PDB file of all heavy atoms in Angstrom:
ATOM      1  N   ILE L 197      -9.755   0.806   2.132  1.00 98.00           N
ATOM      2  CA  ILE L 197      -9.424  -0.162   3.187  1.00 98.00           C
ATOM      3  C   ILE L 197     -10.548  -1.182   3.297  1.00 98.00           C
ATOM      4  O   ILE L 197     -11.692  -0.836   3.583  1.00 98.00           O
ATOM      5  CB  ILE L 197      -9.240   0.541   4.543  1.00 98.00           C
ATOM      6  CG1 ILE L 197      -8.162   1.623   4.444  1.00 98.00           C
ATOM      7  CG2 ILE L 197      -8.887  -0.464   5.631  1.00 98.00           C
ATOM      8  CD1 ILE L 197      -8.095   2.535   5.660  1.00 98.00           C
ATOM      9  N   LEU L 198     -10.230  -2.444   3.062  1.00 97.00           N
ATOM     10  CA  LEU L 198     -11.204  -3.521   3.218  1.00 97.00           C
ATOM     11  C   LEU L 198     -11.057  -4.114   4.612  1.00 97.00           C
ATOM     12  O   LEU L 198      -9.974  -4.560   5.003  1.00 97.00           O
ATOM     13  CB  LEU L 198     -10.981  -4.603   2.164  1.00 97.00           C
ATOM     14  CG  LEU L 198     -11.948  -5.787   2.237  1.00 97.00           C
ATOM     15  CD1 LEU L 198     -13.355  -5.369   1.820  1.00 97.00           C
ATOM     16  CD2 LEU L 198     -11.455  -6.944   1.373  1.00 97.00           C
ATOM     17  N   ASN L 199     -12.147  -4.126   5.357  1.00 97.00           N
ATOM     18  CA  ASN L 199     -12.109  -4.595   6.746  1.00 97.00           C
ATOM     19  C   ASN L 199     -12.931  -5.861   6.924  1.00 97.00           C
ATOM     20  O   ASN L 199     -14.030  -5.996   6.376  1.00 97.00           O
ATOM     21  CB  ASN L 199     -12.661  -3.506   7.676  1.00 97.00           C
ATOM     22  CG  ASN L 199     -12.719  -3.965   9.124  1.00 97.00           C
ATOM     23  OD1 ASN L 199     -11.692  -4.117   9.773  1.00 97.00           O
ATOM     24  ND2 ASN L 199     -13.933  -4.217   9.628  1.00 97.00           N
ATOM     25  N   TYR L 200     -12.391  -6.765   7.741  1.00 94.00           N
ATOM     26  CA  TYR L 200     -13.161  -7.942   8.134  1.00 94.00           C
ATOM     27  C   TYR L 200     -12.759  -8.351   9.548  1.00 94.00           C
ATOM     28  O   TYR L 200     -11.685  -8.898   9.781  1.00 94.00           O
ATOM     29  CB  TYR L 200     -12.935  -9.109   7.172  1.00 94.00           C
ATOM     30  CG  TYR L 200     -13.756 -10.346   7.514  1.00 94.00           C
ATOM     31  CD1 TYR L 200     -15.148 -10.307   7.451  1.00 94.00           C
ATOM     32  CD2 TYR L 200     -13.137 -11.526   7.915  1.00 94.00           C
ATOM     33  CE1 TYR L 200     -15.905 -11.425   7.766  1.00 94.00           C
ATOM     34  CE2 TYR L 200     -13.878 -12.652   8.236  1.00 94.00           C
ATOM     35  CZ  TYR L 200     -15.261 -12.595   8.166  1.00 94.00           C
ATOM     36  OH  TYR L 200     -16.019 -13.711   8.488  1.00 94.00           O
ATOM     37  N   LYS L 201     -13.597  -7.994  10.493  1.00 94.00           N
ATOM     38  CA  LYS L 201     -13.482  -8.438  11.882  1.00 94.00           C
ATOM     39  C   LYS L 201     -12.189  -8.037  12.584  1.00 94.00           C
ATOM     40  O   LYS L 201     -11.653  -8.794  13.403  1.00 94.00           O
ATOM     41  CB  LYS L 201     -13.666  -9.960  11.964  1.00 94.00           C
ATOM     42  CG  LYS L 201     -15.076 -10.414  11.608  1.00 94.00           C
ATOM     43  CD  LYS L 201     -15.290 -11.899  11.868  1.00 94.00           C
ATOM     44  CE  LYS L 201     -16.736 -12.282  11.606  1.00 94.00           C
ATOM     45  NZ  LYS L 201     -17.003 -13.713  11.874  1.00 94.00           N
ATOM     46  N   VAL L 202     -11.677  -6.844  12.273  1.00 95.00           N
ATOM     47  CA  VAL L 202     -10.521  -6.331  13.026  1.00 95.00           C
ATOM     48  C   VAL L 202     -10.803  -4.890  13.451  1.00 95.00           C
ATOM     49  O   VAL L 202     -10.106  -3.962  13.037  1.00 95.00           O
ATOM     50  CB  VAL L 202      -9.212  -6.432  12.213  1.00 95.00           C
ATOM     51  CG1 VAL L 202      -8.701  -7.850  12.174  1.00 95.00           C
ATOM     52  CG2 VAL L 202      -9.390  -5.904  10.788  1.00 95.00           C
ATOM     53  N   PRO L 203     -11.806  -4.660  14.292  1.00 97.00           N
ATOM     54  CA  PRO L 203     -12.198  -3.289  14.639  1.00 97.00           C
ATOM     55  C   PRO L 203     -11.100  -2.492  15.334  1.00 97.00           C
ATOM     56  O   PRO L 203     -10.954  -1.291  15.088  1.00 97.00           O
ATOM     57  CB  PRO L 203     -13.412  -3.486  15.551  1.00 97.00           C
ATOM     58  CG  PRO L 203     -13.281  -4.881  16.095  1.00 97.00           C
ATOM     59  CD  PRO L 203     -12.655  -5.663  14.980  1.00 97.00           C
ATOM     60  N   LEU L 206      -8.436  -1.573  12.824  1.00 98.00           N
ATOM     61  CA  LEU L 206      -8.993  -0.580  11.905  1.00 98.00           C
ATOM     62  C   LEU L 206      -8.972   0.813  12.523  1.00 98.00           C
ATOM     63  O   LEU L 206      -8.663   1.800  11.836  1.00 98.00           O
ATOM     64  CB  LEU L 206     -10.427  -0.959  11.526  1.00 98.00           C
ATOM     65  CG  LEU L 206     -11.161  -0.005  10.588  1.00 98.00           C
ATOM     66  CD1 LEU L 206     -10.452   0.108   9.249  1.00 98.00           C
ATOM     67  CD2 LEU L 206     -12.612  -0.462  10.391  1.00 98.00           C
ATOM     68  N   ILE L 225     -12.017   5.437   2.152  1.00 98.00           N
ATOM     69  CA  ILE L 225     -13.173   4.560   1.942  1.00 98.00           C
ATOM     70  C   ILE L 225     -12.923   3.251   2.671  1.00 98.00           C
ATOM     71  O   ILE L 225     -11.905   2.583   2.438  1.00 98.00           O
ATOM     72  CB  ILE L 225     -13.397   4.289   0.440  1.00 98.00           C
ATOM     73  CG1 ILE L 225     -13.647   5.594  -0.318  1.00 98.00           C
ATOM     74  CG2 ILE L 225     -14.562   3.324   0.235  1.00 98.00           C
ATOM     75  CD1 ILE L 225     -13.721   5.427  -1.828  1.00 98.00           C
ATOM     76  N   VAL L 226     -13.821   2.898   3.568  1.00 98.00           N
ATOM     77  CA  VAL L 226     -13.752   1.612   4.261  1.00 98.00           C
ATOM     78  C   VAL L 226     -14.886   0.730   3.755  1.00 98.00           C
ATOM     79  O   VAL L 226     -16.047   1.143   3.748  1.00 98.00           O
ATOM     80  CB  VAL L 226     -13.868   1.779   5.788  1.00 98.00           C
ATOM     81  CG1 VAL L 226     -14.053   0.419   6.473  1.00 98.00           C
ATOM     82  CG2 VAL L 226     -12.625   2.474   6.339  1.00 98.00           C
ATOM     83  N   ILE L 227     -14.539  -0.465   3.309  1.00 98.00           N
ATOM     84  CA  ILE L 227     -15.545  -1.451   2.936  1.00 98.00           C
ATOM     85  C   ILE L 227     -15.534  -2.516   4.014  1.00 98.00           C
ATOM     86  O   ILE L 227     -14.499  -3.136   4.285  1.00 98.00           O
ATOM     87  CB  ILE L 227     -15.244  -2.110   1.574  1.00 98.00           C
ATOM     88  CG1 ILE L 227     -14.973  -1.045   0.516  1.00 98.00           C
ATOM     89  CG2 ILE L 227     -16.398  -3.014   1.150  1.00 98.00           C
ATOM     90  CD1 ILE L 227     -13.509  -0.763   0.296  1.00 98.00           C
ATOM     91  N   ASP L 228     -16.657  -2.718   4.661  1.00 97.00           N
ATOM     92  CA  ASP L 228     -16.729  -3.758   5.689  1.00 97.00           C
ATOM     93  C   ASP L 228     -17.405  -4.988   5.095  1.00 97.00           C
ATOM     94  O   ASP L 228     -18.545  -4.936   4.625  1.00 97.00           O
ATOM     95  CB  ASP L 228     -17.504  -3.283   6.909  1.00 97.00           C
ATOM     96  CG  ASP L 228     -17.483  -4.324   8.013  1.00 97.00           C
ATOM     97  OD1 ASP L 228     -16.449  -4.461   8.680  1.00 97.00           O
ATOM     98  OD2 ASP L 228     -18.512  -5.034   8.180  1.00 97.00           O
ATOM     99  N   ASN L 229     -16.698  -6.107   5.120  1.00 96.00           N
ATOM    100  CA  ASN L 229     -17.186  -7.353   4.523  1.00 96.00           C
ATOM    101  C   ASN L 229     -18.056  -8.146   5.515  1.00 96.00           C
ATOM    102  O   ASN L 229     -17.783  -9.304   5.825  1.00 96.00           O
ATOM    103  CB  ASN L 229     -16.018  -8.205   4.039  1.00 96.00           C
ATOM    104  CG  ASN L 229     -15.849  -8.144   2.536  1.00 96.00           C
ATOM    105  OD1 ASN L 229     -16.629  -7.499   1.843  1.00 96.00           O
ATOM    106  ND2 ASN L 229     -14.828  -8.817   2.014  1.00 96.00           N
ATOM    107  N   ASN L 230     -19.107  -7.482   6.008  1.00 95.00           N
ATOM    108  CA  ASN L 230     -20.073  -8.132   6.899  1.00 95.00           C
ATOM    109  C   ASN L 230     -19.397  -8.701   8.148  1.00 95.00           C
ATOM    110  O   ASN L 230     -19.580  -9.865   8.510  1.00 95.00           O
ATOM    111  CB  ASN L 230     -20.821  -9.239   6.150  1.00 95.00           C
ATOM    112  CG  ASN L 230     -22.097  -9.666   6.865  1.00 95.00           C
ATOM    113  OD1 ASN L 230     -22.728  -8.865   7.549  1.00 95.00           O
ATOM    114  ND2 ASN L 230     -22.474 -10.917   6.710  1.00 95.00           N
ATOM    115  N   SER L 231     -18.616  -7.838   8.827  1.00 96.00           N
ATOM    116  CA  SER L 231     -17.879  -8.274  10.010  1.00 96.00           C
ATOM    117  C   SER L 231     -18.798  -8.705  11.156  1.00 96.00           C
ATOM    118  O   SER L 231     -18.447  -9.570  11.956  1.00 96.00           O
ATOM    119  CB  SER L 231     -16.962  -7.144  10.500  1.00 96.00           C
ATOM    120  OG  SER L 231     -15.966  -6.854   9.565  1.00 96.00           O
ATOM    121  N   GLN L 232     -19.936  -8.059  11.260  1.00 95.00           N
ATOM    122  CA  GLN L 232     -20.887  -8.340  12.346  1.00 95.00           C
ATOM    123  C   GLN L 232     -20.234  -8.162  13.714  1.00 95.00           C
ATOM    124  O   GLN L 232     -20.407  -8.967  14.631  1.00 95.00           O
ATOM    125  CB  GLN L 232     -21.479  -9.749  12.201  1.00 95.00           C
ATOM    126  CG  GLN L 232     -22.283  -9.928  10.916  1.00 95.00           C
ATOM    127  CD  GLN L 232     -22.941 -11.286  10.808  1.00 95.00           C
ATOM    128  OE1 GLN L 232     -22.743 -12.172  11.643  1.00 95.00           O
ATOM    129  NE2 GLN L 232     -23.745 -11.474   9.780  1.00 95.00           N
ATOM    130  N   ASP L 233     -19.476  -7.068  13.839  1.00 96.00           N
ATOM    131  CA  ASP L 233     -18.882  -6.707  15.120  1.00 96.00           C
ATOM    132  C   ASP L 233     -18.968  -5.191  15.266  1.00 96.00           C
ATOM    133  O   ASP L 233     -19.841  -4.558  14.675  1.00 96.00           O
ATOM    134  CB  ASP L 233     -17.440  -7.224  15.229  1.00 96.00           C
ATOM    135  CG  ASP L 233     -16.533  -6.682  14.114  1.00 96.00           C
ATOM    136  OD1 ASP L 233     -16.929  -5.707  13.434  1.00 96.00           O
ATOM    137  OD2 ASP L 233     -15.431  -7.213  13.925  1.00 96.00           O
ATOM    138  N   GLU L 234     -18.070  -4.588  16.019  1.00 97.00           N
ATOM    139  CA  GLU L 234     -18.143  -3.148  16.273  1.00 97.00           C
ATOM    140  C   GLU L 234     -17.607  -2.287  15.128  1.00 97.00           C
ATOM    141  O   GLU L 234     -17.699  -1.055  15.186  1.00 97.00           O
ATOM    142  CB  GLU L 234     -17.338  -2.801  17.539  1.00 97.00           C
ATOM    143  CG  GLU L 234     -17.686  -3.626  18.763  1.00 97.00           C
ATOM    144  CD  GLU L 234     -16.785  -4.846  18.929  1.00 97.00           C
ATOM    145  OE1 GLU L 234     -16.227  -5.325  17.905  1.00 97.00           O
ATOM    146  OE2 GLU L 234     -16.638  -5.310  20.072  1.00 97.00           O
ATOM    147  N   SER L 235     -17.029  -2.902  14.123  1.00 97.00           N
ATOM    148  CA  SER L 235     -16.279  -2.167  13.096  1.00 97.00           C
ATOM    149  C   SER L 235     -17.051  -1.002  12.495  1.00 97.00           C
ATOM    150  O   SER L 235     -16.590   0.153  12.505  1.00 97.00           O
ATOM    151  CB  SER L 235     -15.838  -3.114  11.972  1.00 97.00           C
ATOM    152  OG  SER L 235     -14.954  -4.099  12.446  1.00 97.00           O
ATOM    153  N   VAL L 236     -18.222  -1.264  11.936  1.00 98.00           N
ATOM    154  CA  VAL L 236     -18.995  -0.226  11.242  1.00 98.00           C
ATOM    155  C   VAL L 236     -19.431   0.872  12.206  1.00 98.00           C
ATOM    156  O   VAL L 236     -19.307   2.066  11.913  1.00 98.00           O
ATOM    157  CB  VAL L 236     -20.210  -0.843  10.525  1.00 98.00           C
ATOM    158  CG1 VAL L 236     -21.137   0.256   9.993  1.00 98.00           C
ATOM    159  CG2 VAL L 236     -19.758  -1.742   9.382  1.00 98.00           C
ATOM    160  N   ALA L 237     -19.937   0.473  13.365  1.00 98.00           N
ATOM    161  CA  ALA L 237     -20.401   1.453  14.352  1.00 98.00           C
ATOM    162  C   ALA L 237     -19.255   2.353  14.802  1.00 98.00           C
ATOM    163  O   ALA L 237     -19.437   3.573  14.957  1.00 98.00           O
ATOM    164  CB  ALA L 237     -21.019   0.732  15.548  1.00 98.00           C
ATOM    165  N   VAL L 239     -16.464   3.089  13.084  1.00 98.00           N
ATOM    166  CA  VAL L 239     -16.076   3.984  11.992  1.00 98.00           C
ATOM    167  C   VAL L 239     -17.002   5.193  11.958  1.00 98.00           C
ATOM    168  O   VAL L 239     -16.558   6.347  11.863  1.00 98.00           O
ATOM    169  CB  VAL L 239     -16.106   3.254  10.634  1.00 98.00           C
ATOM    170  CG1 VAL L 239     -15.928   4.258   9.480  1.00 98.00           C
ATOM    171  CG2 VAL L 239     -15.017   2.189  10.561  1.00 98.00           C
ATOM    172  N   ILE L 247     -15.874   7.431   4.391  1.00 98.00           N
ATOM    173  CA  ILE L 247     -16.967   6.795   3.647  1.00 98.00           C
ATOM    174  C   ILE L 247     -16.992   5.325   4.027  1.00 98.00           C
ATOM    175  O   ILE L 247     -15.999   4.607   3.849  1.00 98.00           O
ATOM    176  CB  ILE L 247     -16.761   6.954   2.129  1.00 98.00           C
ATOM    177  CG1 ILE L 247     -16.734   8.429   1.750  1.00 98.00           C
ATOM    178  CG2 ILE L 247     -17.851   6.215   1.353  1.00 98.00           C
ATOM    179  CD1 ILE L 247     -16.239   8.682   0.341  1.00 98.00           C
ATOM    180  N   CYS L 248     -18.098   4.865   4.554  1.00 98.00           N
ATOM    181  CA  CYS L 248     -18.202   3.480   5.027  1.00 98.00           C
ATOM    182  C   CYS L 248     -19.213   2.723   4.175  1.00 98.00           C
ATOM    183  O   CYS L 248     -20.394   3.074   4.128  1.00 98.00           O
ATOM    184  CB  CYS L 248     -18.602   3.442   6.500  1.00 98.00           C
ATOM    185  SG  CYS L 248     -18.535   1.792   7.225  1.00 98.00           S
ATOM    186  N   ILE L 249     -18.746   1.687   3.508  1.00 98.00           N
ATOM    187  CA  ILE L 249     -19.604   0.844   2.675  1.00 98.00           C
ATOM    188  C   ILE L 249     -19.819  -0.473   3.400  1.00 98.00           C
ATOM    189  O   ILE L 249     -18.868  -1.183   3.730  1.00 98.00           O
ATOM    190  CB  ILE L 249     -18.955   0.586   1.300  1.00 98.00           C
ATOM    191  CG1 ILE L 249     -18.703   1.909   0.569  1.00 98.00           C
ATOM    192  CG2 ILE L 249     -19.822  -0.342   0.456  1.00 98.00           C
ATOM    193  CD1 ILE L 249     -17.892   1.762  -0.698  1.00 98.00           C
ATOM    194  N   GLU L 250     -21.070  -0.789   3.658  1.00 97.00           N
ATOM    195  CA  GLU L 250     -21.402  -2.016   4.376  1.00 97.00           C
ATOM    196  C   GLU L 250     -21.784  -3.109   3.379  1.00 97.00           C
ATOM    197  O   GLU L 250     -22.865  -3.086   2.803  1.00 97.00           O
ATOM    198  CB  GLU L 250     -22.546  -1.755   5.358  1.00 97.00           C
ATOM    199  CG  GLU L 250     -22.223  -0.719   6.412  1.00 97.00           C
ATOM    200  CD  GLU L 250     -23.394  -0.446   7.342  1.00 97.00           C
ATOM    201  OE1 GLU L 250     -23.911  -1.416   7.947  1.00 97.00           O
ATOM    202  OE2 GLU L 250     -23.816   0.730   7.454  1.00 97.00           O
ATOM    203  N   ASN L 251     -20.884  -4.054   3.191  1.00 94.00           N
ATOM    204  CA  ASN L 251     -21.154  -5.177   2.301  1.00 94.00           C
ATOM    205  C   ASN L 251     -22.068  -6.167   3.021  1.00 94.00           C
ATOM    206  O   ASN L 251     -21.885  -6.430   4.210  1.00 94.00           O
ATOM    207  CB  ASN L 251     -19.843  -5.860   1.900  1.00 94.00           C
ATOM    208  CG  ASN L 251     -19.942  -6.598   0.586  1.00 94.00           C
ATOM    209  OD1 ASN L 251     -21.027  -6.750   0.040  1.00 94.00           O
ATOM    210  ND2 ASN L 251     -18.809  -7.055   0.073  1.00 94.00           N
ATOM    211  N   SER L 252     -23.034  -6.704   2.308  1.00 90.00           N
ATOM    212  CA  SER L 252     -24.014  -7.600   2.933  1.00 90.00           C
ATOM    213  C   SER L 252     -23.471  -8.994   3.180  1.00 90.00           C
ATOM    214  O   SER L 252     -24.089  -9.800   3.869  1.00 90.00           O
ATOM    215  CB  SER L 252     -25.272  -7.687   2.062  1.00 90.00           C
ATOM    216  OG  SER L 252     -24.952  -8.173   0.762  1.00 90.00           O
ATOM    217  N   ASN L 253     -22.299  -9.297   2.619  1.00 87.00           N
ATOM    218  CA  ASN L 253     -21.680 -10.604   2.842  1.00 87.00           C
ATOM    219  C   ASN L 253     -20.169 -10.470   2.718  1.00 87.00           C
ATOM    220  O   ASN L 253     -19.655  -9.455   2.254  1.00 87.00           O
ATOM    221  CB  ASN L 253     -22.215 -11.639   1.846  1.00 87.00           C
ATOM    222  CG  ASN L 253     -21.968 -11.216   0.399  1.00 87.00           C
ATOM    223  OD1 ASN L 253     -20.865 -11.354  -0.120  1.00 87.00           O
ATOM    224  ND2 ASN L 253     -22.991 -10.672  -0.251  1.00 87.00           N
ATOM    225  N   ASN L 254     -19.478 -11.506   3.140  1.00 90.00           N
ATOM    226  CA  ASN L 254     -18.025 -11.528   3.006  1.00 90.00           C
ATOM    227  C   ASN L 254     -17.689 -12.028   1.606  1.00 90.00           C
ATOM    228  O   ASN L 254     -17.584 -13.229   1.360  1.00 90.00           O
ATOM    229  CB  ASN L 254     -17.396 -12.430   4.066  1.00 90.00           C
ATOM    230  CG  ASN L 254     -15.877 -12.453   3.968  1.00 90.00           C
ATOM    231  OD1 ASN L 254     -15.276 -11.648   3.261  1.00 90.00           O
ATOM    232  ND2 ASN L 254     -15.252 -13.376   4.674  1.00 90.00           N
ATOM    233  N   SER L 255     -17.528 -11.094   0.681  1.00 85.00           N
ATOM    234  CA  SER L 255     -17.325 -11.446  -0.727  1.00 85.00           C
ATOM    235  C   SER L 255     -15.866 -11.620  -1.106  1.00 85.00           C
ATOM    236  O   SER L 255     -15.552 -11.816  -2.278  1.00 85.00           O
ATOM    237  CB  SER L 255     -17.961 -10.371  -1.618  1.00 85.00           C
ATOM    238  OG  SER L 255     -17.421  -9.100  -1.332  1.00 85.00           O
ATOM    239  N   GLY L 256     -14.966 -11.525  -0.131  1.00 86.00           N
ATOM    240  CA  GLY L 256     -13.555 -11.721  -0.412  1.00 86.00           C
ATOM    241  C   GLY L 256     -12.816 -10.417  -0.664  1.00 86.00           C
ATOM    242  O   GLY L 256     -13.409  -9.339  -0.762  1.00 86.00           O
ATOM    243  N   GLY L 260     -14.555  -7.095  -2.602  1.00 93.00           N
ATOM    244  CA  GLY L 260     -14.755  -6.029  -1.630  1.00 93.00           C
ATOM    245  C   GLY L 260     -14.021  -4.756  -2.011  1.00 93.00           C
ATOM    246  O   GLY L 260     -14.581  -3.657  -1.978  1.00 93.00           O
ATOM    247  N   LEU L 263     -15.515  -3.035  -5.037  1.00 95.00           N
ATOM    248  CA  LEU L 263     -16.731  -2.316  -4.656  1.00 95.00           C
ATOM    249  C   LEU L 263     -16.397  -0.905  -4.180  1.00 95.00           C
ATOM    250  O   LEU L 263     -17.077   0.065  -4.530  1.00 95.00           O
ATOM    251  CB  LEU L 263     -17.462  -3.092  -3.547  1.00 95.00           C
ATOM    252  CG  LEU L 263     -18.819  -2.553  -3.084  1.00 95.00           C
ATOM    253  CD1 LEU L 263     -19.846  -2.644  -4.215  1.00 95.00           C
ATOM    254  CD2 LEU L 263     -19.317  -3.344  -1.870  1.00 95.00           C
TER     255      LEU L 263
END
Side-chain angles (χ1 to χ4, degrees):
I197 303 169
L198 180 70
N199 177 71
Y200 182 64
K201 293 187 175 181
V202 284
L206 179 61
I225 300 173
V226 170
I227 309 96
D228 184 76
N229 257 358
N230 197 30
S231 295
Q232 297 184 355
D233 59 15
E234 308 94 335
S235 297
V236 171
V239 171
I247 299 167
C248 188
I249 301 172
E250 299 178 55
N251 205 351
S252 59
N253 58 79
N254 181 12
S255 57
L263 184 65

